[in-house]
Amino acid sequence: MAKPVVFVIGASGNVGAATVTALSAKYADKVEIRAGVRNPEAADKLKGLNGVTLVAAEMGGDREKLVTTLRGVDALFIVTPGTKDRAELAISTAEAARDAGVEVSSGCQRADGRSDEHRLRFLRLPLFVENYWGFKDTIKGHSAFYSPVDPDKPFTPVVVSDAGNAAAAILSNPIAHANQTYNLVSNRHTFKDVAASFSEALGREVKYVHVPYEAAKQSLLQMGFQDWQVDGIFELDKLIDSGSHVTNQEDLTHYTKITGEKPTELKSWIASVKAAFQ
């Protein structure tokens, strides 16, 4: 009996690569894994993974070509890209999957709030712990990092590998997650907690410096961020400041419900990367 075919489009990005890696490590004996990337020759981190076939597939490209590529796929994970037109790209990809007869699409929510019955599973990933890589240079150079967010306001980010593990678990058994929306978070902490955890891991005091939003904006623009990107970052930052449930989820159990595992703790993640911050 042929194995079900699972397809990850946007597989060369952080979440996509984490999902493909988890599929390869845990489910290669159960599903046929296809990793959709713009240029398979350039997808070095995915080459050689057990049970993974690299496929040329592009969101927003030739619609008919994408429909043809997706025919015969049983479960599709659409990894929404970080581009300005990400909503349009994700929706058009979901529509191509529908036209190809894909039974399940996961990871993409329609902009109009509707979903095709029995087709979509949603993974909401509002914040990533890996964003702390942006603090590396100032932690290394000045033992400090800077943000406009209130240091005492809690928020609930997710570690990328946790997101990949959860997505892989859903793709391996999509029927078990029919019509579900999951808010994937790893744990709850504040930027004061982040400073304390880096201090403990590095053996020296690391300070959090609270800066005004305008100063933070100018710094990000000087670093090469576009206005729309800065606006998106600050939208999330201000949700943290306001105590919004979008960035401070009440239920922290979704990852465990999906995978049966405990999510990655902040201290564990910092311990795994601390050498780069020394």
Side-chain angles (χ1 to χ4, degrees), residues 115-122 174-181:
S115 65
D116 297 321
E117 187 176 4
H118 303 306
R119 286 186 176 273
L120 301 182
R121 286 83 172 137
F122 304 131
I175 299 303
H177 303 277
N179 303 314
Q180 296 296 311
T181 297

Side-chain angles (χ1 to χ4, degrees), residues 27-278:
Y27 306 107
D29 62 338
K30 185 177 179 180
V31 297
E32 179 183 332
I33 307 161
R34 298 179 188 174
V37 297
R38 184 175 300 173
N39 180 8
E41 291 301 316
D44 292 337
K45 59 186 174 182
L46 301 179
K47 292 177 180 178
L49 289 178
N50 179 43
V52 176
T53 301
L54 294 176
V55 179
E58 182 177 359
M59 284 185 268
D62 186 317
R63 169 69 175 272
E64 291 306 313
K65 183 178 180 180
L66 182 58
V67 170
T68 299
T69 298
L70 294 177
R71 292 199 189 280
V73 171
D74 295 290
L76 172 68
F77 181 37
I78 302 168
V79 185
T80 306
T83 56
K84 191 173 184 179
D85 58 346
R86 54 191 175 274
E88 291 82 359
L89 291 176
I91 292 169
S92 67
T93 303
E95 291 173 343
R98 176 199 61 203
D99 293 347
V102 177
E103 290 297 325
V104 178
S105 294
S106 70
C108 171
Q109 185 165 10
R110 295 177 61 121
D112 58 12
R114 293 183 291 112
S115 65
D116 297 321
E117 187 176 4
H118 303 306
R119 286 186 176 273
L120 301 182
R121 286 83 172 137
F122 304 131
L123 300 180
R124 291 176 175 164
L125 311 170
L127 298 162
F128 292 100
V129 172
E130 278 73 10
N131 290 341
Y132 304 159
W133 282 110
F135 302 143
K136 185 185 72 170
D137 290 343
T138 59
I139 288 178
K140 288 182 66 174
H142 310 291
S143 292
F145 61 101
Y146 306 80
S147 171
V149 176
D150 186 329
D152 294 308
K153 291 289 186 178
F155 53 96
T156 49
V158 66
V159 173
V160 167
S161 61
D162 287 352
N165 286 336
I170 292 171
L171 287 169
S172 73
N173 187 16
I175 299 303
H177 303 277
N179 303 314
Q180 296 296 311
T181 297
Y182 295 111
N183 298 298
L184 286 185
V185 301
S186 294
N187 67 4
R188 177 181 288 109
H189 54 256
T190 66
F191 273 124
K192 184 178 289 185
D193 296 328
V194 175
S197 295
F198 269 112
S199 297
E200 179 181 341
L202 300 177
R204 67 178 190 272
E205 183 181 14
V206 174
K207 295 182 179 179
Y208 175 79
V209 181
H210 190 199
V211 298
Y213 272 95
E214 185 56 37
K217 179 176 183 177
Q218 294 307 314
S219 177
L220 289 171
L221 291 173
Q222 289 172 11
M223 291 168 62
F225 285 84
Q226 300 297 310
D227 278 307
W228 68 268
Q229 293 173 307
V230 176
D231 290 342
I233 292 169
F234 285 175
E235 181 179 358
L236 289 172
D237 287 348
K238 290 176 181 179
L239 286 172
I240 296 173
D241 282 341
S242 70
S244 170
H245 71 278
V246 173
T247 49
N248 186 20
Q249 292 291 326
E250 180 178 349
D251 189 347
L252 306 185
T253 66
H254 286 192
Y255 176 80
T256 300
K257 288 177 181 177
I258 296 168
T259 66
E261 303 170 359
K262 292 183 178 180
T264 304
E265 294 289 338
L266 173 64
K267 289 185 177 182
S268 297
W269 183 85
I270 291 177
S272 72
V273 302
K274 69 177 184 179
F277 290 79
Q278 294 284 1

